[in-house]
Amino acid sequence: MSTDADRQYMRQALRLAARGRGWTSPNPLVGALVVRNRRIVGRGWHPAAGQPHAEIFALREAGRTARGATLYVNLEPCNHQGRTPPCTGAIIDAGIKRVVVGMEDPNPLVAGRGIERLRAAGIEVETGVLEKECRRLNEVFCKYITSGLPFVTLKIAASLDGRIATRSGHSHWITNDKSRRFVHRLRHRHDAIMIGIGTLLQDNPRLTTRLPRGRGKNPYRVIVDSRLRSPLHANVFHGDAREKLILATSDDPRLDLGPYQDRVREIIRLPADAAGQLDLRELMRRLAAMEITSVLIEGGSEINASAIEAGIVDKIGFFYAPVLIGGRGALGMLGGNGVDLVSEGQRVTDLRLRRFGTDIYVEGYLAARDA
């Protein structure tokens, strides 16, 4: 039976785990605490794939004081050989008496086996402490490891009346500096950013992460361009483009891939419908095969609508600025054909609101659809 103290220490483990945001993919975010006689004697978090897991760092810091102590960890300790040795053996060898786990690992290679091994060694194991919070922290990992698809967030910046650009196409800047700084944090946290050809031609974005003092990583940049209209002078083709740029286009054999071959890391050829719309679900499968576990869509109204219609979006993050744009020709947040009945619309659940200065940020989740 968990206690208030267990929940308090688990919250601290979650805060430690969050320090790895943006760095651990394709691994989960994990934090760990070793507590003895109500005193924290060891702390750790997983910093990156290939590095030791959180439990190992916490046990190293605790040293001999780990014997007879309690270990708190937000995700079930691994019991298999991956990039690093299993953590269960280290926990047993350290003499830990009790382990408090936030959630079982959804990875089929683990799936309760770590907990079983600890219990078989005589260690008391408590599970499900702050499980909802633990699952939300690792929502990307949970989706990727169970479905083989990346977790997709649709980010849109709009006026209060739902316009993402004026009738002339002007959109810089609808939202304020605080909102845009948060967007760069979102970019750092995702493995890839995806836009459509319309956004590339209209805005010529760099799609890089620009955080203070150069912190943060640049994610992969995915350009969805079914007819290969991407100009080679665009900003995305410069800098570290070859290592970070993926071009998704049609499998039409008439397309000339030559000019792009040496300018991108990968060209992904996909089936397209009569209107030239690419199969975005297949694109997600191909990205997942590259160990891209999360995608942030920062496109225009058409790719936004296509992503919703394809059922690939897991989460929305909409920024609303206190400005009215209006105009029949002004771009709305979602293009496409839309639905005929309100009842056919995609419902958003678990809504949360935040403020970034005068801007309002709305975050929520879309119901899963069958593949």
Side-chain angles (χ1 to χ4, degrees):
M1 189 75 176
S2 63
T3 65
D4 288 341
D6 288 338
R7 289 184 283 276
Q8 175 188 335
Y9 289 127
M10 188 59 71
R11 288 188 183 93
Q12 293 188 56
L14 286 167
R15 286 195 289 271
L16 285 170
R19 294 188 183 187
R21 284 188 188 276
W23 301 114
T24 64
S25 179
N27 288 353
L29 298 165
V30 184
L33 292 175
V34 178
V35 179
R36 183 172 181 176
N37 297 328
R38 299 184 180 181
R39 185 171 67 90
I40 298 173
V41 295
R43 297 175 177 84
W45 67 91
H46 182 45
Q51 295 293 312
H53 292 183
E55 301 95 318
I56 304 304
F57 284 111
L59 291 171
R60 285 177 183 173
E61 184 176 307
R64 294 181 180 179
T65 59
R67 188 159 298 277
T70 296
L71 173 70
Y72 292 87
V73 60
N74 60 294
L75 186 70
E76 175 184 1
C78 65
N79 189 42
H80 67 285
Q81 179 71 45
R83 289 182 171 96
T84 58
C87 292
T88 49
I91 294 169
I92 294 167
D93 292 343
I96 289 290
K97 181 180 180 180
R98 179 173 181 254
V99 177
V100 179
V101 176
M103 62 173 284
E104 290 189 8
D105 194 330
N107 186 344
L109 292 175
V110 183
R113 295 184 182 91
I115 292 170
E116 289 175 3
R117 184 180 178 192
L118 295 175
R119 285 176 172 157
I123 296 174
E124 178 188 350
V125 181
E126 181 78 33
T127 63
V129 177
L130 299 186
E131 183 171 358
K132 182 178 180 180
E133 292 89 335
C134 292
R135 287 191 176 279
R136 173 161 287 179
L137 179 71
N138 271 311
E139 59 192 10
V140 167
F141 177 74
C142 290
K143 165 80 181 293
Y144 174 74
I145 206 68
T146 58
S147 71
L149 295 170
F151 186 93
V152 179
T153 300
L154 175 61
K155 168 258 167 183
I156 300 177
S159 62
L160 205 56
D161 57 337
R163 303 297 202 273
I164 63 172
T166 67
R167 62 187 180 186
S168 67
H170 185 259
S171 61
H172 293 172
W173 294 101
I174 291 177
T175 53
N176 62 30
D177 289 344
K178 291 182 178 179
S179 294
R180 293 198 297 277
R181 282 196 295 270
F182 182 68
V183 169
H184 285 285
R185 287 164 57 190
L186 288 177
R187 289 181 177 182
H188 163 69
R189 293 175 183 179
H190 285 77
D191 290 345
I193 306 172
M194 187 169 87
I195 64 169
I197 182 61
T199 298
L200 181 68
L201 294 175
Q202 179 65 39
D203 298 338
N204 192 19
R206 286 180 284 171
L207 302 180
T208 53
T209 298
R210 298 184 292 280
L211 292 172
R213 296 186 294 278
R215 294 178 298 179
K217 73 171 192 315
N218 285 329
Y220 286 98
R221 290 165 285 183
V222 182
I223 310 301
V224 178
D225 179 8
S226 63
R227 291 184 287 162
L228 283 187
R229 292 185 292 151
S230 299
L232 293 177
H233 59 76
N235 288 328
V236 292
F237 288 102
H238 299 280
D240 61 354
R242 198 184 189 291
E243 291 304 313
K244 288 288 186 177
L245 187 59
I246 298 168
L247 189 60
T249 191
S250 164
D251 57 7
D252 185 341
R254 294 171 296 179
L255 292 176
D256 181 11
L257 305 180
Y260 301 96
Q261 295 280 15
D262 296 329
R263 306 296 294 270
V264 300
R265 178 189 177 97
E266 184 111 8
I267 297 176
I268 297 177
R269 308 197 69 177
L270 299 164
D273 62 19
Q277 297 291 324
L278 298 181
D279 185 341
L280 295 184
R281 290 197 70 86
E282 178 59 25
L283 175 57
M284 293 303 108
R285 294 186 185 99
R286 302 279 289 276
L287 294 179
M290 298 172 64
E291 290 196 331
I292 291 175
T293 68
S294 58
V295 176
L296 179 67
I297 299 178
E298 289 196 63
S301 62
E302 292 306 317
I303 196 166
N304 292 346
S306 295
I308 294 287
E309 291 167 5
I312 66 170
V313 178
D314 299 288
K315 187 176 185 178
I316 59 102
F318 292 177
F319 294 86
Y320 289 96
V323 61
L324 303 177
I325 291 177
R328 293 185 184 88
L331 283 175
M333 299 165 71
L334 299 175
N337 295 322
V339 297
D340 294 321
L341 304 174
V342 172
S343 59
E344 297 173 344
Q346 178 74 56
R347 293 290 174 178
V348 183
T349 64
D350 202 9
L351 285 177
R352 293 190 296 172
L353 304 180
R354 294 179 62 177
R355 293 290 296 269
F356 291 98
T358 56
D359 292 348
I360 299 171
Y361 180 64
V362 181
E363 184 179 85
Y365 296 83
L366 302 188
R369 295 183 181 179
D370 293 335

